[in-house]
Amino acid sequence: EILLVPTGYWARGVLVKKQFEEGLQRIREVRARLEEEGFTAGAWMSSTMGHGFEILRHPYRRMKGSQGQLLGNTICPLDRAWLRYIKWCVERLAQTGVKSILLDDDFRIDNHGGSAFESNNGCFCELHLAEFEKRYRRGLDREELVKILDKPLPLSLNGKRVRHDWL
């Protein structure tokens, strides 16, 4: 399988549908030629949420780190507007006829740090804290949660549950 990479879904921090559609048309053309030669074509969405460093401005909620800092250009995956955007991109990409779509590892939200040496254990924005409270049935503010997550192993049974539920 050969993975094709769409282009044009970001330009100066804004979705540029015309460029994205042009990239999708190119994928359709290349996919058809590859299939004529007996290959299978998939697609790789190489940047979805961002990679933690400042490269673009965008209109979406940014991830918040364990110390309360905004994390580069990395988008919070609970942002409803971003979810609509990424759904649209994946749907349009699927319509090109590729046999598979590989999403970049952006969705492992524990690897988006403020620097290459900082571990954040995920996003600590208000949306994530509220979702955690809803699922865990216990409200923890960012500082309380970080204290539990930063404890060395072995954790208490309750600490293990908190860490499991958070990640």
Side-chain angles (χ1 to χ4, degrees):
E1 181 172 32
I2 297 174
L3 294 177
L4 307 172
V5 182
T7 59
Y9 48 100
W10 284 112
R12 293 183 191 85
V14 179
L15 171 65
V16 179
K17 290 185 177 184
K18 181 179 183 238
Q19 289 177 333
F20 185 61
E21 291 292 347
E22 289 169 358
L24 295 177
Q25 182 56 37
R26 182 80 176 127
I27 283 179
R28 282 185 201 90
E29 294 165 2
V30 172
R31 179 198 51 81
R33 284 199 308 250
L34 288 170
E35 288 176 356
E36 287 171 6
E37 298 296 326
F39 293 98
T40 301
W44 173 37
M45 288 195 71
S46 62
S47 181
T48 52
M49 295 173 44
H51 291 95
F53 44 85
E54 193 71 50
I55 56 172
L56 302 168
R57 288 179 299 165
H58 56 73
Y60 305 110
R61 176 186 290 268
R62 288 165 47 189
M63 281 180 62
K64 190 178 279 189
S66 59
Q67 303 306 308
Q69 75 282 21
L70 294 176
L71 298 181
N73 77 325
T74 306
I75 298 164
C76 170
L78 294 183
D79 182 307
R80 295 261 184 224
W82 178 79
L83 288 169
R84 287 189 299 274
Y85 153 74
I86 201 68
K87 178 179 181 265
W88 179 86
C89 286
V90 172
E91 286 173 345
R92 297 294 295 134
L93 188 54
Q95 292 168 1
T96 66
V98 293
K99 302 298 181 205
S100 64
I101 298 174
L102 172 68
L103 300 175
D104 198 55
D105 66 352
D106 302 355
F107 292 100
R108 292 181 302 142
I109 67 171
D110 66 325
N111 69 348
H112 294 278
S115 72
F117 307 104
E118 180 180 15
S119 174
N120 279 293
N121 294 315
C123 179
F124 291 81
C125 76
E126 297 75 17
L127 294 176
H128 273 91
L129 292 174
E131 181 64 24
F132 182 77
E133 181 177 346
K134 184 173 106 181
R135 292 183 186 193
Y136 190 58
R137 297 189 180 107
R138 176 178 172 209
L140 295 173
D141 64 24
R142 182 181 46 78
E143 292 83 5
E144 293 171 312
L145 189 53
V146 168
K147 282 180 188 174
I148 293 170
L149 296 174
D150 282 349
K151 283 184 181 176
L153 296 175
L155 293 173
S156 67
L157 184 58
N158 188 47
K160 285 180 185 175
R161 182 172 169 220
V162 169
R163 184 175 280 179
H164 176 268
D165 290 348
W166 180 249
L167 295 176

XYZ file of all heavy atoms in Angstrom, residues 29-102:
596
model
N -6.397 11.377 -8.790
C -5.662 11.079 -10.023
C -4.531 10.074 -9.771
O -4.375 9.099 -10.507
C -5.095 12.371 -10.617
C -6.158 13.339 -11.089
C -5.616 14.748 -11.339
O -4.394 14.973 -11.172
O -6.430 15.628 -11.675
N -3.751 10.310 -8.732
C -2.619 9.429 -8.426
C -3.135 8.056 -7.994
O -2.589 7.023 -8.403
C -1.697 10.066 -7.360
C -0.644 9.081 -6.888
C -1.059 11.337 -7.900
N -4.180 8.028 -7.170
C -4.760 6.753 -6.730
C -5.179 5.915 -7.934
O -4.879 4.727 -8.019
C -5.964 6.984 -5.813
C -6.620 5.664 -5.351
C -8.023 5.852 -4.816
N -8.903 6.602 -5.673
C -9.561 6.118 -6.744
N -9.426 4.870 -7.104
N -10.358 6.893 -7.444
N -5.856 6.527 -8.901
C -6.317 5.801 -10.082
C -5.132 5.212 -10.863
O -5.173 4.049 -11.290
C -7.144 6.728 -10.975
N -4.066 6.000 -11.023
C -2.884 5.510 -11.742
C -2.210 4.366 -10.983
O -1.768 3.388 -11.587
C -1.905 6.647 -11.997
C -2.354 7.551 -13.129
C -1.208 8.383 -13.680
N -0.482 9.107 -12.653
C -0.514 10.424 -12.485
N -1.209 11.181 -13.293
N 0.180 10.997 -11.531
N -2.123 4.508 -9.665
C -1.505 3.451 -8.861
C -2.304 2.156 -8.965
O -1.738 1.069 -9.102
C -1.394 3.886 -7.395
C -0.347 4.945 -7.089
C -0.502 5.454 -5.665
C 1.060 4.408 -7.329
N -3.630 2.264 -8.906
C -4.473 1.074 -8.995
C -4.358 0.413 -10.362
O -4.394 -0.821 -10.464
C -5.918 1.422 -8.651
C -6.095 1.696 -7.167
C -7.494 2.135 -6.779
O -8.357 2.315 -7.665
O -7.726 2.310 -5.562
N -4.207 1.208 -11.409
C -3.997 0.646 -12.752
C -2.730 -0.202 -12.808
O -2.646 -1.171 -13.560
C -3.899 1.767 -13.799
C -5.197 2.447 -14.112
C -5.006 3.684 -14.997
O -3.867 3.939 -15.457
O -5.997 4.397 -15.207
N -1.752 0.154 -11.984
C -0.475 -0.572 -11.936
C -0.478 -1.684 -10.891
O 0.551 -2.310 -10.647
C 0.681 0.400 -11.659
C 0.869 1.458 -12.729
C 1.256 0.854 -14.078
O 1.978 -0.164 -14.102
O 0.816 1.401 -15.117
N -1.625 -1.892 -10.237
C -1.737 -2.987 -9.282
C -1.427 -2.642 -7.837
O -1.361 -3.518 -6.974
N -1.234 -1.364 -7.548
C -0.961 -0.940 -6.171
C -2.258 -0.556 -5.460
O -3.247 -0.207 -6.095
C -0.016 0.271 -6.156
C 1.353 -0.034 -6.650
C 1.714 0.261 -7.957
C 2.293 -0.614 -5.809
C 2.988 -0.009 -8.433
C 3.573 -0.885 -6.274
C 3.921 -0.587 -7.588
N -2.226 -0.580 -4.144
C -3.310 -0.078 -3.319
C -2.879 1.280 -2.773
O -1.735 1.443 -2.351
C -3.590 -1.038 -2.139
O -3.923 -2.317 -2.670
C -4.728 -0.536 -1.277
N -3.799 2.230 -2.775
C -3.477 3.574 -2.278
C -4.268 3.882 -1.011
O -5.477 3.647 -0.944
C -3.777 4.621 -3.344
N -3.566 4.386 -0.023
C -4.167 4.901 1.196
C -3.780 6.359 1.323
O -3.138 6.925 0.435
N -4.159 6.972 2.426
C -3.795 8.372 2.658
C -3.338 8.536 4.099
O -3.817 7.845 5.001
C -4.976 9.291 2.365
N -2.413 9.456 4.280
C -1.895 9.776 5.617
C -2.194 11.239 5.891
O -1.727 12.124 5.176
C -0.395 9.510 5.672
C 0.283 9.953 6.923
C -0.217 9.905 8.193
C 1.590 10.514 7.034
N 0.703 10.393 9.084
C 1.819 10.775 8.399
C 2.581 10.808 6.116
C 3.008 11.324 8.859
C 3.761 11.350 6.579
C 3.969 11.593 7.943
N -2.982 11.491 6.933
C -3.215 12.873 7.380
C -2.099 13.193 8.371
O -2.153 12.798 9.530
C -4.591 13.020 8.011
C -5.689 12.950 6.981
S -7.272 13.547 7.588
C -6.935 15.306 7.701
N -1.102 13.884 7.886
C 0.135 14.044 8.641
C 0.077 15.085 9.746
O 0.932 15.113 10.607
C 1.279 14.386 7.688
O 1.000 15.611 7.041
N -0.902 15.938 9.734
C -1.024 16.917 10.812
C -2.502 17.187 11.032
O -3.195 17.660 10.148
C -0.301 18.214 10.457
O -0.412 19.123 11.527
N -2.945 16.861 12.204
C -4.358 17.054 12.524
C -4.524 18.029 13.685
O -5.151 19.061 13.536
C -5.018 15.708 12.871
O -4.242 15.053 13.869
C -5.129 14.823 11.640
N -3.919 17.703 14.816
C -4.022 18.548 16.003
C -2.839 19.486 16.170
O -2.860 20.341 17.031
C -4.085 17.680 17.268
C -5.300 16.822 17.365
S -5.195 15.681 18.760
C -4.587 16.690 20.087
N -1.800 19.287 15.394
C -0.573 20.044 15.593
C 0.430 19.193 16.346
O 0.117 18.110 16.824
N 1.628 19.695 16.440
C 2.705 18.925 17.056
C 3.337 19.620 18.257
O 4.439 19.300 18.642
C 3.764 18.600 16.002
C 3.273 17.638 14.982
N 2.737 18.034 13.787
C 3.194 16.295 15.001
C 2.355 16.976 13.096
N 2.623 15.911 13.808
N 2.659 20.578 18.835
C 3.128 21.165 20.074
C 4.019 22.376 19.944
O 4.259 23.071 20.913
N 4.531 22.662 18.766
C 5.378 23.830 18.611
C 4.634 24.883 17.811
O 3.715 24.582 17.061
C 6.704 23.468 17.933
C 6.552 22.554 16.756
C 6.270 23.058 15.500
C 6.672 21.189 16.922
C 6.112 22.214 14.418
C 6.517 20.337 15.833
C 6.236 20.853 14.584
N 5.013 26.108 18.000
C 4.307 27.235 17.371
C 4.690 27.334 15.903
O 5.819 27.614 15.569
C 4.678 28.526 18.096
C 3.789 29.686 17.742
C 2.392 29.555 18.304
O 2.255 29.291 19.499
O 1.428 29.714 17.534
N 3.754 27.030 15.020
C 4.009 27.207 13.601
C 2.928 28.045 12.932
O 3.189 28.723 11.969
C 4.156 25.870 12.848
C 2.921 24.994 13.049
C 5.408 25.143 13.245
C 2.900 23.740 12.186
N 1.717 27.965 13.444
C 0.595 28.660 12.824
C -0.339 29.220 13.889
O -0.436 28.683 14.980
C -0.239 27.687 11.978
C 0.427 26.932 10.861
C -0.501 25.840 10.370
C 0.751 27.863 9.716
N -1.058 30.239 13.516
C -2.187 30.653 14.346
C -3.402 29.929 13.796
O -3.494 29.685 12.596
C -2.379 32.154 14.277
C -1.279 32.903 15.020
C -1.480 34.371 14.928
N -1.423 34.726 13.504
C -1.842 35.875 13.022
N -2.343 36.772 13.794
N -1.758 36.129 11.728
N -4.306 29.559 14.648
C -5.512 28.878 14.204
C -6.681 29.327 15.067
O -6.492 29.874 16.150
C -5.335 27.355 14.235
C -4.931 26.819 15.567
N -5.794 26.740 16.636
C -3.741 26.365 16.018
C -5.166 26.240 17.680
N -3.908 26.013 17.326
N -7.898 29.091 14.604
C -9.072 29.576 15.328
C -9.581 28.643 16.416
O -10.631 28.901 16.996
C -10.116 29.693 14.201
C -9.730 28.620 13.245
C -8.224 28.579 13.277
N -8.866 27.585 16.729
C -9.374 26.569 17.648
C -8.779 26.710 19.044
O -7.749 27.343 19.244
C -9.084 25.176 17.081
C -9.640 25.019 15.689
C -8.799 24.931 14.587
C -11.009 25.012 15.473
C -9.305 24.812 13.308
C -11.523 24.899 14.193
C -10.677 24.806 13.115
O -11.179 24.701 11.850
N -9.447 26.059 20.006
C -8.966 26.029 21.394
C -7.628 25.310 21.420
O -7.475 24.241 20.851
C -9.966 25.288 22.270
C -9.507 25.116 23.714
C -10.482 24.243 24.496
N -11.728 24.925 24.731
C -12.006 25.652 25.816
N -11.103 25.779 26.768
N -13.167 26.250 25.952
N -6.667 25.905 22.097
C -5.358 25.273 22.230
C -5.317 24.394 23.461
O -6.001 24.646 24.447
C -4.269 26.342 22.311
C -4.053 27.008 20.956
C -3.274 28.276 20.986
N -2.053 28.239 21.760
C -1.336 29.318 22.024
N -1.701 30.495 21.578
N -0.244 29.233 22.736
N -4.500 23.347 23.384
C -4.302 22.495 24.554
C -3.641 23.314 25.659
O -2.878 24.238 25.390
C -3.428 21.286 24.207
C -4.178 20.190 23.490
S -3.142 18.756 23.075
C -2.622 18.177 24.680
N -3.965 22.934 26.883
C -3.378 23.577 28.047
C -2.544 22.536 28.789
O -3.014 21.426 29.052
C -4.476 24.124 28.964
C -3.955 25.007 30.064
C -5.078 25.566 30.912
C -5.711 26.761 30.229
N -6.651 27.446 31.135
N -1.310 22.893 29.094
C -0.389 21.966 29.738
C -0.623 21.806 31.222
O -1.466 22.472 31.838
N 0.140 20.932 31.819
C -0.018 20.594 33.234
C 0.279 21.767 34.165
O -0.170 21.778 35.311
C 0.881 19.415 33.591
O 2.236 19.732 33.335
N 1.002 22.773 33.667
C 1.273 23.959 34.475
C 0.336 25.117 34.120
O 0.531 26.239 34.574
C 2.730 24.384 34.311
C 3.727 23.291 34.662
C 3.502 22.724 36.052
O 3.425 23.476 37.027
N 3.357 21.423 36.160
N -0.664 24.845 33.281
C -1.643 25.859 32.898
C -1.256 26.666 31.670
O -1.982 27.559 31.258
N -0.122 26.344 31.042
C 0.363 27.087 29.885
C -0.315 26.582 28.612
O -0.668 25.418 28.504
C 1.887 26.969 29.777
C 2.403 25.635 29.262
C 2.411 24.485 30.256
O 1.719 24.481 31.251
N 3.213 23.466 29.949
N -0.503 27.483 27.646
C -1.007 27.063 26.345
C 0.121 26.384 25.588
O 1.266 26.830 25.641
C -1.536 28.262 25.562
C -2.771 28.925 26.168
C -3.166 30.161 25.360
C -3.936 27.957 26.252
N -0.207 25.317 24.875
C 0.819 24.505 24.226
C 0.918 24.810 22.742
O 0.174 24.265 21.933
C 0.524 23.018 24.426
C 0.512 22.545 25.876
C 0.225 21.063 25.950
C 1.823 22.869 26.570
N 1.844 25.670 22.382
C 2.136 25.961 20.984
C 0.889 26.111 20.144
O -0.026 26.841 20.494
N 0.850 25.384 19.048
C -0.326 25.450 18.184
C -1.183 24.203 18.311
O -2.026 23.945 17.478
C 0.102 25.635 16.719
C 0.594 24.351 16.104
O 1.207 23.531 16.771
N 0.316 24.157 14.837
N -0.972 23.388 19.333
C -1.671 22.118 19.454
C -3.122 22.336 19.846
O -3.427 22.994 20.829
C -0.965 21.222 20.483
O 0.402 21.097 20.116
C -1.599 19.854 20.520
N -4.015 21.736 19.082
C -5.454 21.932 19.251
C -6.008 20.946 20.264
O -5.668 19.760 20.247
C -6.156 21.747 17.893
C -5.657 22.806 16.918
C -7.671 21.776 18.039
C -5.965 22.507 15.469
N -6.878 21.432 21.131
C -7.582 20.579 22.073
C -8.568 19.708 21.292
O -9.415 20.232 20.565
C -8.324 21.421 23.097
S -9.460 20.431 24.116
N -8.489 18.380 21.428
C -9.370 17.513 20.647
C -10.832 17.544 21.085
O -11.672 16.924 20.432
C -8.760 16.122 20.847
C -8.039 16.209 22.145
C -7.537 17.623 22.239
N -11.161 18.256 22.141
C -12.568 18.396 22.540
C -13.218 19.648 21.961
O -14.414 19.865 22.159
C -12.696 18.412 24.076
C -12.314 17.118 24.796
C -12.566 17.250 26.297
C -13.055 15.914 24.230
N -12.466 20.462 21.236
C -13.016 21.670 20.626
C -14.028 21.257 19.546
O -13.686 20.607 18.562
C -11.879 22.484 20.002
C -12.352 23.781 19.385
O -13.277 23.748 18.550
O -11.789 24.829 19.721
N -15.283 21.615 19.744
C -16.361 21.196 18.828
C -16.148 21.714 17.400
O -16.421 21.000 16.434
C -17.714 21.673 19.353
C -18.099 21.032 20.656
C -19.036 19.905 20.407
N -19.474 19.366 21.679
C -19.545 18.076 21.911
N -19.231 17.216 20.973
N -19.946 17.639 23.076
N -15.686 22.942 17.254
C -15.442 23.489 15.917
C -14.344 22.695 15.218
O -14.444 22.389 14.029
C -15.073 24.971 15.993
N -13.289 22.343 15.947
C -12.220 21.545 15.360
C -12.730 20.150 14.993
O -12.369 19.616 13.932
C -11.027 21.435 16.307
C -9.947 20.585 15.729
C -9.038 20.956 14.788
C -9.709 19.209 16.000
N -8.231 19.880 14.474
C -8.629 18.801 15.200
C -10.301 18.284 16.854
C -8.119 17.507 15.229
C -9.798 16.994 16.879
C -8.727 16.618 16.081
N -13.565 19.560 15.840
C -14.123 18.239 15.530
C -14.926 18.276 14.231
O -14.842 17.342 13.420
C -14.987 17.735 16.684
C -14.217 17.307 17.925
C -15.181 17.087 19.099
C -13.399 16.057 17.653
N -15.699 19.328 14.032
C -16.433 19.467 12.762
C -15.466 19.599 11.586
O -15.654 18.984 10.536
C -17.380 20.671 12.816
C -18.603 20.448 13.686
C -19.623 21.571 13.557
N -19.107 22.861 13.962
C -19.105 23.328 15.217
N -19.619 22.607 16.191
N -18.611 24.523 15.484
N -14.422 20.384 11.778
C -13.422 20.582 10.725
C -12.730 19.268 10.366
O -12.639 18.889 9.192
C -12.391 21.626 11.169
C -11.033 21.450 10.532
C -10.842 21.786 9.197
C -9.973 20.923 11.248
C -9.601 21.601 8.601
C -8.743 20.743 10.658
C -8.556 21.077 9.337
O -7.347 20.888 8.757
N -12.231 18.532 11.364
C -11.473 17.322 11.072
C -12.392 16.244 10.498
O -11.993 15.466 9.629
C -10.670 16.839 12.308
C -9.523 15.925 11.888
C -11.547 16.176 13.333
C -8.427 16.607 11.130
N -13.640 16.218 10.932
C -14.620 15.281 10.362
C -14.816 15.578 8.876
O -14.830 14.663 8.045
C -15.953 15.395 11.110
C -17.045 14.503 10.578
C -18.321 14.685 11.407
C -19.433 13.785 10.921
N -20.329 14.424 9.992
N -14.957 16.839 8.542
C -15.104 17.242 7.139
C -13.888 16.803 6.328
O -14.027 16.248 5.244
C -15.322 18.750 7.050
C -15.469 19.249 5.650
C -16.620 19.292 4.911
C -14.425 19.758 4.803
N -16.355 19.809 3.657
C -15.015 20.100 3.567
C -13.063 19.967 4.974
C -14.285 20.630 2.507
C -12.340 20.494 3.915
C -12.950 20.816 2.699
N -12.686 17.043 6.856
C -11.461 16.663 6.137
C -11.409 15.155 5.895
O -11.104 14.704 4.788
C -10.222 17.085 6.927
S -9.883 18.840 6.915
N -11.698 14.364 6.919
C -11.625 12.909 6.781
C -12.704 12.408 5.818
O -12.441 11.534 4.984
C -11.724 12.215 8.163
C -11.846 10.706 8.014
C -10.510 12.563 9.016
N -13.909 12.962 5.908
C -14.971 12.565 4.978
C -14.571 12.864 3.537
O -14.748 12.024 2.642
C -16.281 13.288 5.311
C -16.966 12.768 6.541
C -18.173 13.600 6.953
O -18.332 14.750 6.473
O -18.960 13.099 7.769
N -14.047 14.044 3.298
C -13.630 14.419 1.937
C -12.486 13.525 1.464
O -12.462 13.109 0.313
C -13.218 15.898 1.884
C -14.331 16.875 2.203
C -15.448 16.882 1.182
N -14.931 17.368 -0.076
C -15.170 16.793 -1.259
N -15.914 15.741 -1.354
N -14.641 17.302 -2.355
N -11.567 13.213 2.346
C -10.455 12.334 1.983
C -10.966 10.931 1.654
O -10.543 10.313 0.674
C -9.434 12.299 3.119
C -8.120 11.586 2.866
C -7.424 12.109 1.622
C -7.218 11.730 4.085
N -11.912 10.430 2.436
C -12.488 9.107 2.173
C -13.178 9.061 0.814
O -13.159 8.033 0.135
C -13.462 8.729 3.280
N -13.758 10.155 0.396
C -14.464 10.215 -0.883
C -13.528 10.136 -2.083
O -13.988 9.976 -3.213
C -15.321 11.482 -0.958
C -16.484 11.467 -0.002
C -17.168 12.816 0.130
O -16.791 13.794 -0.514
N -18.168 12.879 0.990
N -12.227 10.196 -1.863
C -11.278 10.064 -2.971
C -11.127 8.616 -3.410
O -10.532 8.351 -4.446
C -9.887 10.609 -2.601
O -9.327 9.789 -1.565
C -9.938 12.064 -2.190
N -11.631 7.682 -2.588
C -11.530 6.272 -2.934
C -10.314 5.560 -2.383
O -10.086 4.391 -2.709
N -9.527 6.229 -1.531
C -8.383 5.545 -0.930
C -8.905 4.402 -0.063
O -10.025 4.442 0.446
C -7.504 6.516 -0.104
C -6.833 7.539 -0.995
C -8.286 7.191 1.006
N -8.099 3.361 0.082
C -8.531 2.159 0.812
C -8.357 2.275 2.316
O -8.951 1.517 3.065
C -7.772 0.928 0.302
C -7.942 0.682 -1.171
C -9.392 0.412 -1.533
C -9.515 0.134 -3.019
N -10.824 0.427 -3.549
N -7.526 3.204 2.750
C -7.312 3.399 4.184
C -6.892 4.837 4.430
O -6.395 5.522 3.529
C -6.237 2.444 4.716
O -4.988 2.738 4.126
N -7.106 5.276 5.673
C -6.661 6.608 6.093
C -5.902 6.429 7.402
O -6.448 5.908 8.379
C -7.835 7.587 6.283
C -8.576 7.782 4.957
C -7.335 8.918 6.849
C -9.837 8.622 5.079
N -4.656 6.830 7.397
C -3.819 6.779 8.588
C -3.787 8.172 9.188
O -3.451 9.140 8.510
C -2.398 6.328 8.218
C -1.349 6.396 9.322
C -1.655 5.364 10.402
C 0.038 6.173 8.740
